Amino acid sequence: MTTTTTTTGPRVVDLALGDPGHPAPAAVRVALRRAAERTSFGYAPASGFGALRESLAEKLTRSNRIAARPGEVVVTTGASQGIYATLAALCAPGDRVLVPAPGYPAYRAACRTLGLVVVDYPVGRGQDAAPDWARLEALAGDARVLLWNYPSNPTGTIADPAWYPRLYALLDAHPGLTAVSDEVYEELCFDAPHVSPAAAAGPVADRIVSVFSFSKAYAMTGMRVGYLHARAELAARISRAHWGVGMSTPAVSQLCALAVLHGAGDYPEEHRGVLRAGRDLLAGALSAAGLSVELPSAGCFLWLDVAGSGLDGLSWTRAASEHCRVLVAPGRDFGPDCGDRVRISFAAPTVQLTAAAERFSRWAAAGWPGEGRPGPGAAPSPAPSAAVAVQP
């Protein structure tokens, strides 16, 4: 193997996963210390602790404009398991699920595990950010679920509320279709606020399941606390499906989530500032290196077009590992027609982002050497294998 960079900073920089490098709120540490004084923990209720569900219903009503009651809220082991349980409650093997492309890889993994048929629908960004409505309308007739993901992973696009009437009309025209709205990045919006589609859905509100998480907004990925809102009857079915997969969300994690709701109100704004700085640092280096960089409006990823390097996304991913010791995720894992893209997290600590930016710059200066295309002055060096991101 060859390398064109020096190894300043961490030996390996992992930017493949969306794992926040910012410390969690102080309220989490306080809650953990208090939990450590308890002598025992039993199973939590299937749908989550009552106090947490009450607080989440208040949050959904206040912040998301979703008129929620505690009986309509289910606490899940991360948003991913919430989506999985929702699909299990709504679908039977062979049912068709409309999945955004590009989109979070775990959507497809969940569908495969449940024996469901993935039907991709294109979503864009920038001037072409809206989903392909013509494609959706053509496919909706025999689909059971529409997976809707805004703010988007991986593109960082925020939904324009002007799109929602078309979404509502689609649901109204197809009574067998339910929209599952993944809103994990709701607190990580840089350019415009997130608006939940269920907020103004009117008659079709009962056919929108809204999914959220503490992972990204509060740097609590390892705590595995997600939650969702659905009509009461469907929420009960989702809760049973969730119980069948993982019983209940860990009690300690729920206590931390409750502490955050009541004691970390200013944290997301601070977290956004850190992420924005990381975004701009990494984007600036890659742009200066000659790649076309579109700044995401939300989330914690650059959805990078690497065609300017002369490499495709998979080759770029492997070469970044080999030449820079930086792990990124190849675009092909997020859907068809993404072969020239890679996804790069800017949620890592500043020291790691700085090291990655310096290594990318040196790699570019050497002419983007890749597989079968060594750069000048290359020397043998061990390097890790490229990682594939499956993080929400």
Side-chain angles (χ1 to χ4, degrees):
M1 293 186 182
T2 59
T3 183
T4 59
T5 70
T6 59
T7 55
T8 57
R11 184 177 183 278
V12 176
V13 178
D14 188 350
L15 304 182
L17 301 181
D19 202 358
H22 195 48
V28 171
R29 297 190 292 277
V30 172
L32 285 172
R33 285 194 294 269
R34 290 175 177 169
E37 297 174 358
R38 297 177 62 155
T39 58
S40 64
F41 289 95
Y43 290 119
S47 296
F49 286 130
L52 179 56
R53 294 164 70 199
E54 289 176 8
S55 293
L56 289 171
E58 292 171 2
K59 177 265 181 187
L60 289 165
T61 302
R62 179 184 66 255
S63 300
N64 299 95
R65 301 293 187 264
I66 299 172
R69 296 186 292 271
E72 299 167 341
V73 176
V74 181
V75 180
T76 62
T77 309
S80 294
Q81 197 165 92
I83 292 169
Y84 183 94
T86 301
L87 290 172
L90 286 169
C91 299
D95 281 348
R96 295 161 66 87
V97 178
L98 304 178
V99 176
Y104 174 39
Y107 297 151
R108 292 168 177 79
C111 289
R112 286 194 299 270
T113 302
L114 291 166
L116 308 177
V117 178
V118 171
V119 181
D120 291 300
Y121 69 92
V123 296
R125 59 167 304 153
Q127 295 298 317
D128 301 312
D132 186 334
W133 292 109
R135 177 79 171 152
L136 278 175
E137 289 161 2
L139 296 171
D142 58 358
R144 187 73 184 91
V145 168
L146 163 62
L147 286 171
W148 177 271
N149 175 216
Y150 293 100
S152 167
N153 172 8
T155 71
T157 300
I158 299 172
D160 184 342
W163 301 346
Y164 291 164
R166 295 197 71 167
L167 175 62
Y168 305 151
L170 187 74
L171 293 172
D172 186 56
H174 302 285
L177 183 67
T178 296
V180 178
S181 177
D182 178 354
E183 304 174 41
V184 164
Y185 295 92
E186 61 165 342
E187 295 281 10
L188 305 186
C189 295
F190 307 118
D191 300 334
H194 167 68
V195 178
S196 293
V204 296
D206 282 353
R207 284 194 287 117
I208 299 178
V209 178
S210 305
V211 183
F212 306 89
S213 176
F214 287 85
S215 292
K216 307 299 183 172
Y218 295 99
M220 293 170 62
T221 49
M223 292 283 182
R224 310 309 304 133
V225 187
Y227 60 99
L228 58 86
H229 174 267
R231 66 183 187 272
E233 175 272 333
L234 178 56
R237 285 160 50 200
I238 294 170
S239 179
R240 288 193 294 272
H242 182 260
W243 180 261
V245 174
M247 300 193 76
S248 59
T249 304
V252 172
S253 298
Q254 292 194 56
L255 293 173
C256 290
L258 187 59
V260 160
L261 286 175
H262 293 286
D266 57 350
Y267 181 89
E269 183 176 356
E270 176 189 354
H271 192 29
R272 281 193 298 272
V274 173
L275 289 174
R276 185 191 292 272
R279 179 197 70 173
D280 294 348
L281 186 162
L282 207 54
L286 290 164
S287 180
L291 297 182
S292 176
V293 181
E294 299 173 83
L295 289 181
S297 296
C300 58
F301 303 110
L302 296 179
W303 183 234
L304 182 68
D305 184 343
V306 296
S309 70
L311 301 171
D312 63 29
L314 184 59
S315 298
W316 204 94
T317 299
R318 290 170 172 166
S321 170
E322 178 180 345
H323 294 281
C324 303
R325 296 177 180 156
V326 177
L327 307 184
V328 303
R332 70 173 193 173
D333 293 315
F334 297 83
D337 304 320
C338 298
D340 289 334
R341 296 274 184 167
V342 299
R343 194 193 74 170
I344 308 178
S345 170
F346 51 82
T350 302
V351 64
Q352 295 189 26
L353 295 176
T354 300
E358 292 173 352
R359 295 175 195 183
F360 287 151
S361 297
R362 293 190 182 99
W363 183 26
W368 301 109
E371 295 173 298
R373 198 177 75 185
S381 175
S385 300
V388 174
V390 293
Q391 188 86 358

